[in-house]
Amino acid sequence: MLNGVEHKFVETADAVVVGGGVVGLAIARALARAHFGRIVLIERGQLGAEASHAAGGMLAAQAECDGADAFLELACASRDLYTGFAEALLDETGINIELERTGTLYLAFTERDELEIAHRYSWQSSAGLSVQRLTVDEARELEPCVSPEALSALRFPLDWQVENRRLVAALATAAENMGVQLLTCTNVESLLMERGHIKGVETAQGRIYSAVVVVASGAWASSLLTAEMSEPVIRIEPVRGQMLCFDARSAFARHVIYSPRGYLVPRMDGRLLAGSTTEHAGFDKRVTATGASTILTHAMEIAPALGELTLVDAWSGLRPRAVDDLPVLGESAQTRGLFYAVGHYRNGILLAPITGELIAAEITSGIASPLMTAFTPERFHQVGVG
Ligand code: FAD
Ligand code: GLY
């Protein structure tokens, strides 16, 4: 239910999307834009309330990719879509997702950090990406909050950020405005398959029959995927990330600022986010004293003045991670009509626009984009991972 509209339970659909985070919502919206027919998105809790709300909203293709590979290509392709994506969402819904274009700084504090940023500068400039090398004085001129202990910096002018909670709201409103049925508080218990075809889903409220089902259920995806033995074993594990949120109304910074250990994200409304942790803690979403203290240490290394700010909020979320850290995108080779869109790990906000477009295009045309080749579910069969 959205905007107070209660939907009645349907028994058939042209496409069912399981999971109402940014990934599922982006796919449902893209299918609706392609006029695919009756689309039902099923979310067992509230839309976007899991990893998609917890995120920092950074479009950190250059700060977070580690080399010029297929993942970088996917990340940059999605980043390039963001301007049009934000404009279209504003047009469709009136919701501004606050695409902020100041860019990202990446700081070095140790000799090892300096080697890391020299390497990053070298492979990114060879790959033709927009990257600038800065002295610490230049970095401090751009952002006076940067610690005088920093040794040097990179600037990525095109690594922007969005307000991910507004993104969730915009995607949900856009999808619903275009006729997608959003079923919240409804758990998908299993996938219905028969002789190599998907048939629909079994939910707590009953069956929905559909020849297309997209699994976009984030860190919980494995519970639906491991039961079917003919499928490759796709293990998606939850990786906890904690976040602190400060009141920084006095314009603390404009850039997103990284070090190799943490990051700061200044929001347009005056909040300043500091992240994060990378923890294998199962489905435990607590904010812990150790997590908060680690984040604070790394945040104050970047900007010591943060110690004077008021801590106003803290939360954590579960990043959906596949064993090779890469997203899993595309149709199953064993089960016609079953599509995967999982494993977006640290970059699901960045990858939402391209994931929506690629999955919707494969569903509507039957053709998988070459951009998806490295992310096929079949790679787990091929290398026997799992
Ligand atoms: P989710 O948002 O978790 O959505 C999955 C949904 O599926 C959930 O709502 C869940 O309730 C639902 N679901 C699960 N099982 C079922 C079922 N059986 N039936 C029905 N519904 C089901 N990414 C970036 O790009 N930039 C960042 O700056 C960034 N920062 C991050 C910071 C932190 C602290 C964390 C935790 C993550 C961050 N990420 C970032 C990663 C990003 O949040 C995720 O990659 C992204 O949100 C994944 O989206 P999703 O839709 O796959 O998962
Ligand atoms: N991409 C930031 C994080 O996952 O913490």
Side-chain angles (χ1 to χ4, degrees):
M1 187 179 75
L2 192 72
N3 299 334
V5 182
E6 189 99 40
H7 287 295
K8 96 176 196 335
F9 193 78
V10 290
E11 287 170 0
T12 60
D14 295 303
V16 167
V17 178
V18 184
V22 287
V23 171
L25 287 166
I27 293 166
R29 167 184 172 268
L31 282 171
R33 277 165 63 97
H35 306 289
F36 189 67
R38 289 163 307 151
I39 302 151
V40 179
L41 179 143
I42 308 175
E43 164 56 50
R44 70 169 177 198
Q46 295 304 316
L47 297 170
E50 296 291 349
S52 300
H53 260 218
M58 299 173 290
L59 309 182
Q62 289 176 243
E64 294 201 3
C65 288
D66 292 324
D69 55 14
F71 185 68
L72 176 76
E73 198 185 351
L74 186 76
C76 288
S78 201
R79 194 179 64 172
D80 291 348
L81 291 177
Y82 249 101
T83 299
F85 188 60
E87 284 166 6
L89 285 171
L90 182 62
D91 203 40
E92 290 160 21
T93 67
I95 298 173
N96 179 354
I97 65 167
E98 297 183 354
L99 179 62
E100 210 289 331
R101 303 165 206 238
T102 303
T104 293
L105 295 182
Y106 192 106
L107 307 177
F109 288 93
T110 65
E111 235 173 78
R112 196 168 161 186
D113 294 353
E114 289 224 279
L115 289 175
E116 141 65 6
I117 73 167
H119 176 61
R120 196 165 281 275
Y121 179 79
S122 157
W123 73 257
Q124 294 197 359
S125 40
S126 304
L129 297 169
S130 180
V131 51
Q132 300 160 350
R133 232 175 152 159
L134 304 181
T135 64
V136 66
D137 288 345
E138 288 167 334
R140 279 168 57 79
E141 209 165 296
L142 288 173
E143 293 295 357
C145 71
V146 163
S147 168
E149 302 294 317
L151 300 175
S152 60
L154 297 180
R155 179 167 181 268
F156 308 120
L158 300 180
D159 270 9
W160 301 338
Q161 58 142 317
V162 292
E163 194 354 307
N164 39 291
R165 297 180 184 183
R166 284 177 162 264
L167 175 61
V168 166
L171 286 170
T173 304
E176 186 161 69
N177 288 349
M178 286 185 274
V180 174
Q181 183 158 355
L182 301 170
L183 284 181
T184 54
C185 303
T186 305
N187 188 49
V188 172
E189 293 173 344
S190 61
L191 305 176
L192 304 173
M193 303 184 193
E194 203 178 284
R195 289 191 294 278
H197 287 75
I198 195 84
K199 292 289 170 193
V201 295
E202 182 82 56
T203 81
Q205 268 104 299
R207 290 188 166 187
I208 301 179
Y209 291 98
S210 175
V212 171
V213 172
V214 183
V215 176
S217 47
W220 297 266
S222 286
S223 63
L224 289 177
L225 299 177
T226 47
E228 189 54 39
M229 297 314 290
S230 62
E231 289 295 305
V233 181
I234 296 170
R235 295 233 170 89
I236 304 296
E237 67 157 343
V239 178
R240 182 168 73 191
Q242 302 186 37
M243 194 82 91
L244 302 182
C245 175
F246 298 88
D247 179 347
R249 257 171 281 169
S250 51
F252 195 81
R254 289 181 59 236
H255 287 79
V256 170
I257 313 178
Y258 272 83
S259 80
R261 289 162 289 285
Y263 52 76
L264 302 180
V265 187
R267 287 287 199 233
M268 283 184 185
D269 64 3
R271 289 175 305 144
L272 180 78
L273 312 187
S276 181
T277 58
T278 303
E279 301 166 86
H280 301 268
F283 291 93
D284 175 353
K285 286 198 297 179
R286 284 176 309 130
V287 173
T288 63
T290 306
S293 144
T294 305
I295 293 170
L296 199 54
T297 303
H298 295 153
M300 285 180 61
E301 180 187 43
I302 291 172
L306 182 130
E308 290 304 311
L309 299 181
T310 309
L311 179 64
V312 289
D313 201 355
W315 59 80
S316 83
L318 302 175
R319 305 178 184 92
R321 175 184 173 270
V323 290
D324 57 5
D325 291 352
L326 297 174
V328 185
L329 301 175
E331 189 173 17
S332 159
Q334 288 73 32
T335 307
R336 275 308 288 279
L338 171 62
F339 290 80
Y340 296 96
V342 292
H344 290 69
Y345 193 30
R346 312 189 77 102
N347 303 103
I349 308 301
L350 168 63
L351 297 174
I354 197 85
T355 301
E357 287 210 355
L358 293 176
I359 298 289
E362 191 182 6
I363 290 171
T364 53
S365 71
I367 298 165
S369 158
L371 267 181
M372 297 162 81
T373 308
F375 309 108
T376 164
E378 275 310 286
R379 71 185 188 267
F380 296 106
H381 258 334
Q382 286 158 12
V383 297
V385 178

